[in-house]
Amino acid sequence: MTETKKCVECGGEAHPIKIVDRGNQNIHFDLIYTMADSKRSIFKGYKKEGVVAAEFCENCGRIALRAVPQK
């Protein structure tokens, strides 16, 4: 069973979803986030601070994103 949250737009039930980036050759990547002042490394890319989680409201269609910090 998945945990539902309240939609920030309409107050309806918002269900967890996964947003996936389809890169080159249809390779799938989870969305991550980094700090705005992070510098990109040639070999490692940006420093991963955490992942992006999302919920979808079936009532109004809103997708809400939130940060889940890396432990």
Side-chain angles (χ1 to χ4, degrees), residues 5-14 55 57 60 62-65:
K5 297 180 183 270
K6 288 228 181 227
C7 175
V8 297
E9 183 95 11
C10 72
E13 286 189 357
E55 288 84 34
C57 178
C60 71
R62 180 184 180 103
I63 293 177
L65 303 177

Side-chain angles (χ1 to χ4, degrees), residues 22-61:
R22 291 175 47 182
N24 291 335
Q25 300 173 359
N26 209 19
I27 298 171
H28 297 116
F29 297 97
D30 291 336
L31 294 181
I32 66 164
Y33 71 91
T34 190
M35 295 297 121
D37 61 353
S38 180
K39 302 292 183 215
R40 185 171 187 233
S41 164
I42 293 173
F43 300 106
K44 295 184 179 181
Y46 291 102
K47 180 182 176 198
K48 178 181 173 181
E49 297 292 337
V51 296
V52 177
E55 288 84 34
F56 170 70
C57 178
E58 291 180 6
N59 189 46
C60 71

